[in-house]
Amino acid sequence: MLVAGAVALCALPALAQASAPRGDGQPGADTWPAVVTYVVDGDSVWVRSADRGARVKLRLLGIDAPEVCQPLGPQARDALRRLALNQPVQVTVRARDRYGRALATVHRTQDGLDLSQAMAAGGWAWVDRYRGWHKPYQEDEDAARAAGRGLFAQAGAESPADFRRRHGPCQRVGK
């Protein structure tokens, strides 16, 4: 047993190196450190990898916030800016969406705050049902609805999915 334990301890550095964060935003990457450098809208950010300096566009996994050209879209973007802009974060890329963006869970380094959860709890995003990754945030959205926070302070706020079906991407709205 003692020998097996020593062998396992010797293998730990190799395992740690094999699973080290890549920091390149590719699917399958482990958690890697970054800084949020730009907030696109209420569910998309650009980050700079702390390890390699690479810039990566991320979509926050599990939520769908209004488009910036949609009513309350600028307010949702501002809410995410207040939470994340210039903040060190830990990024875990889980998949890619149909637009090629990395889908990621993003946690603020200082306090572990899950940005997706904070946006849902603040009422600035609906849960996104993509592959069931919304489940951790459903209670947060429900509480925001019940309290009339954020988007849910206005009756009839249109979901981003419905808005995109009716109008297409923001650049086409009004054309």
Side-chain angles (χ1 to χ4, degrees), residues 7-79:
V7 170
L9 284 175
C10 291
L12 282 177
L15 287 173
Q17 187 174 17
S19 64
R22 291 179 4 194
D24 60 1
Q26 296 302 308
D30 292 335
T31 300
W32 43 276
V35 173
V36 176
T37 58
Y38 183 73
V39 176
V40 178
D41 57 26
D43 59 22
S44 300
V45 297
W46 280 90
V47 298
R48 182 171 305 281
S49 166
D51 293 343
R52 299 192 181 160
R55 287 191 71 223
V56 180
K57 185 175 185 181
L58 304 173
R59 179 153 187 277
L60 298 180
L61 188 62
I63 63 169
D64 196 10
E67 302 297 324
V68 292
C69 60
Q70 181 178 353
L72 300 172
Q75 292 90 331
R77 178 190 57 211
D78 291 346

Side-chain angles (χ1 to χ4, degrees), residues 126-144:
W126 285 263
V127 295
D128 184 2
R129 297 197 170 17
Y130 180 77
R131 294 190 183 177
W133 281 322
H134 71 283
K135 291 177 184 175
Y137 312 123
Q138 186 64 61
E139 288 182 20
D140 298 296
E141 179 191 318
D142 293 345

Side-chain angles (χ1 to χ4, degrees), residues 101-125:
R101 293 175 298 186
L103 296 172
T105 53
V106 181
H107 293 85
R108 265 190 336 212
T109 303
Q110 70 185 28
D111 56 9
L113 179 77
D114 179 331
L115 296 180
S116 294
Q117 183 175 27
M119 290 297 287
W124 294 113

